[in-house]
Amino acid sequence: MHGNSTRENREAPSVPIADKAAGRLEKAMSQESNMHAGGESDGCVVPTKCPNKGGKPPAEGMEGRQPAKENIGQATAPRTQSRISELSDLLGVRKAARKDKRTRFTALLHHVTVGLLRDSYYALKREAAPGVDGVTWKEYETGLDERLADLHSRIHRGTYRAQPSKRAYIAKEDGRQRPLGIAALEDKIVQHSVVAVLNQIYEEDFLGFSYGFRPGRSQHDALDALWVGTMRKKVNWILDADVRGFFDNMSHEWLVKFIEHRVADRRILRLVQKWLRAGVSEEGKWSKTEVGTPQGAVVSPLLANIYLHYAFDLWVKHWRKHHATGDVIVVRYADDIVVGFENRADAERFLQEWKERLQKFGLELHPDKTRLIEFGRNAAVNRKKRGENKPEVFNFLGFTHMCGKTRKTGRFIVKRKTIRKRLSAKLRELKEEFRRRWHQPVAEVGKWLKSVVQGYFTTMQSRQYGQSE
């Protein structure tokens, strides 16, 4: 199924700050919220489906979106005047960041209040594994007010100490193990609060083609952007790139320099450095971390986006405007990047210059996972003329993307289907879960299976354009 409509970002009604802020606190601090999402980016919209009516920006619209008004979620905290004032102060940070992109903020830590710490605590996952402190979310809730007051005092006195991340591993699709870092509960709370403050600045700075781990944006939006860009622009070549070990190789020195472009509050910078230098504990043995940031830490996605904003996003925006001879589209979800080109010469020159730029920041492209392939509306015809096989496919965010044709008209369309390995792994997982639930009541098993099926079809249909299979 494919549609031709465009959804723009929902905006909050134009009402006084006090009315908007009251009672909408927890989601404001959650990374799942839409708080301060947007920014000018490329001044475009986030598509869900491709527009077919006038009045919408063509083609490039998939890479950006309109600035979002404040949207601050639902509350769990009391609607007190003090909390309204705190949110008003945070909105002031956002407005200042929007007004002047060169402003350096010298006083940010005072926004980390007991109320914000409480909101961050309730935004954490209840059942998450504990870190090296062994403290669970439920255990910390006992005497919560006193705990948060003490934590707040330590933060502002400078006596707060970050604890090492607890090393854990999860299996990757290729059979290897992906290392994760599980932070201690108090570190999660403080990181979440600092991210909530820094988001006010960086959501005004980040560009429209950046989608990963940002409030109000999702993998679906990134897939939408790629589909619309490939369909609406003159894309003939796709650069499917993978930054080798990105989270493990980010330079601490460069990261701090990047943050200092906007943050001059030394206390915030010291907090970030504490987290970076806290190290990792594996089987009771501590090891120092001189580069990288643990995957799984609350603050890591924001730090990764800041790093790539300066190391990649701003550079590719300038390159596209001043060096490209044809159309260029860009979609980035964290360190997963796809770039589309009209001209092969542009693609090859871009790839070479990108490699050189990444080396400057201690990064490199994975030679086996970075490919330049012929892909687009003319790929099949051109390859047939040369006696070559069908156009190659590429994977992005769990889907294999293919060149195809519509059933009725035979026109070019980008098709996508779930990556074979991921689908097979999911089916094996479901089989094991069925066995585990073998003796449960039929109604209970049916309720679980319904949620699985609904989730699958939501993923496959809510953002589909072409005949995703």
Side-chain angles (χ1 to χ4, degrees):
M1 170 179 184
H2 64 280
N4 292 320
S5 64
T6 298
R7 178 206 67 194
E8 297 190 25
N9 295 303
R10 285 175 280 183
E11 299 183 348
S14 178
V15 294
I17 288 179
D19 293 337
K20 289 188 291 185
R24 302 188 300 175
L25 307 179
E26 180 181 352
K27 284 190 179 179
M29 310 313 159
S30 168
Q31 292 188 26
E32 300 300 324
S33 76
N34 194 32
M35 179 181 185
H36 311 317
E40 292 187 5
S41 300
D42 290 337
C44 306
V45 297
V46 175
T48 54
K49 296 183 179 179
C50 179
N52 68 343
K53 297 181 180 181
K56 302 296 181 184
E60 199 65 2
M62 74 299 297
E63 293 185 34
R65 61 191 198 167
Q66 299 288 3
K69 305 278 187 185
E70 293 81 349
N71 182 8
I72 311 185
Q74 299 297 318
T76 58
R79 300 187 177 190
T80 64
Q81 189 63 38
S82 62
R83 294 297 289 126
I84 295 174
S85 177
E86 290 172 8
L87 282 185
S88 179
D89 290 342
L90 282 177
L91 299 183
V93 173
R94 180 191 179 192
K95 291 175 181 177
R98 180 194 307 150
K99 183 177 181 181
D100 188 350
K101 299 294 185 180
R102 296 171 297 179
T103 295
R104 299 183 69 227
F105 293 84
T106 59
L108 291 172
L109 190 64
H110 70 278
H111 293 292
V112 179
T113 62
V114 174
L116 180 55
L117 292 172
R118 182 180 293 105
D119 293 333
S120 293
Y121 167 75
Y122 282 111
L124 299 178
K125 294 181 179 179
R126 271 67 164 166
E127 305 301 325
V132 295
D133 58 349
V135 179
T136 65
W137 186 93
K138 187 65 177 178
E139 291 170 347
Y140 197 85
E141 192 175 26
T142 303
L144 179 63
D145 290 343
E146 292 77 13
R147 290 178 184 268
L148 293 180
D150 176 65
L151 177 59
H152 176 264
S153 177
R154 283 184 278 130
I155 293 170
H156 288 268
R157 294 199 320 266
T159 58
Y160 159 78
R161 295 291 180 265
Q163 299 189 58
S165 296
K166 181 181 178 181
R167 176 65 76 210
Y169 294 91
I170 59 173
K172 299 177 67 174
E173 293 178 3
D174 58 7
R176 296 182 298 163
Q177 297 288 308
R178 182 190 302 277
L180 297 180
I182 304 174
L185 188 67
E186 284 197 338
D187 291 336
K188 292 179 182 178
I189 295 171
V190 181
Q191 289 180 18
H192 195 283
S193 294
V194 171
V195 167
V197 174
L198 293 181
N199 269 344
Q200 317 315 310
I201 301 170
Y202 289 107
E203 283 302 310
E204 294 297 328
D205 289 356
F206 291 154
L207 303 186
F209 52 74
S210 167
Y211 290 91
F213 307 109
R214 291 182 58 188
R217 294 192 165 202
S218 69
Q219 294 183 353
H220 295 302
D221 296 320
L223 290 167
D224 294 351
L226 178 60
W227 192 92
V228 177
T230 308
M231 293 294 296
R232 289 288 176 125
K233 287 288 187 177
K234 300 174 183 177
V235 173
N236 298 313
W237 298 89
I238 287 288
L239 176 58
D240 177 21
D242 180 87
V243 181
R244 188 204 292 262
F246 170 68
F247 282 89
D248 298 328
N249 292 296
M250 282 193 297
S251 164
H252 291 177
E253 181 181 359
W254 275 113
L255 178 58
V256 172
K257 287 181 179 179
F258 292 151
I259 297 174
E260 286 177 337
H261 280 299
R262 288 294 248 164
V263 178
D265 188 332
R266 305 308 303 177
R267 300 169 299 173
I268 293 289
L269 293 171
R270 280 196 294 270
L271 282 176
V272 173
Q273 290 170 323
K274 285 180 180 180
W275 296 323
L276 292 175
R277 298 170 181 170
V280 175
S281 177
E282 185 170 4
E283 297 181 350
K285 184 179 180 180
W286 179 83
S287 58
K288 185 178 181 181
T289 51
E290 297 181 346
V291 295
T293 180
Q295 293 190 59
V298 175
V299 74
S300 292
L302 175 62
L303 298 182
N305 274 331
I306 293 173
Y307 202 95
L308 287 175
H309 174 71
Y310 290 100
F312 177 75
D313 295 358
L314 294 178
W315 172 76
V316 72
K317 179 183 179 182
H318 181 272
W319 194 97
R320 176 168 62 179
K321 182 177 180 180
H322 297 281
H323 299 287
T325 60
D327 286 348
V328 177
I329 66 168
V330 186
V331 178
R332 179 175 73 79
Y333 191 94
D335 58 330
D336 290 334
I337 303 170
V338 174
V339 189
F341 299 88
E342 179 181 356
N343 300 323
R344 180 170 185 169
D346 279 349
E348 292 174 340
R349 183 157 58 96
F350 175 87
L351 178 57
Q352 181 58 40
E353 294 179 14
W354 187 16
K355 290 179 179 178
E356 295 171 359
R357 180 167 178 81
L358 286 179
Q359 289 178 357
K360 178 180 178 180
F361 301 109
L363 301 172
E364 63 176 344
L365 295 177
H366 197 298
D368 299 327
K369 297 182 180 180
T370 299
R371 302 180 305 144
L372 178 62
I373 64 172
E374 190 171 12
F375 191 97
R377 65 184 69 254
N378 301 316
V381 174
N382 291 339
R383 292 177 66 87
K384 186 175 182 180
K385 288 180 179 178
R386 298 194 299 266
E388 299 175 350
N389 295 327
K390 295 188 298 182
E392 295 181 78
V393 302
F394 68 94
N395 296 331
F396 183 61
L397 298 181
F399 287 90
T400 298
H401 294 70
M402 307 162 287
C403 294
K405 295 181 179 180
T406 58
R407 294 176 181 176
K408 292 184 178 181
T409 64
R411 298 179 63 182
F412 168 75
I413 195 168
V414 177
K415 294 184 177 182
R416 63 180 183 231
K417 65 180 181 180
T418 305
I419 294 175
R420 184 183 298 275
K421 289 183 179 180
R422 184 166 297 186
L423 180 60
S424 299
K426 186 63 177 179
L427 291 175
R428 288 194 299 269
E429 178 185 326
L430 290 175
K431 185 177 180 179
E432 292 299 320
E433 185 65 16
F434 264 121
R435 289 177 177 174
R436 192 181 70 81
R437 294 174 177 267
W438 188 261
H439 299 291
Q440 292 181 356
V442 174
E444 187 174 335
V445 176
K447 183 178 179 181
W448 164 75
L449 185 59
K450 178 181 178 182
S451 68
V452 172
V453 174
Q454 285 181 333
Y456 174 79
F457 281 106
T458 297
T459 300
M460 293 297 294
Q461 295 180 358
S462 65
R463 297 296 198 277
Q464 279 189 9
Y465 297 107
Q467 302 156 10
S468 299
E469 300 173 346

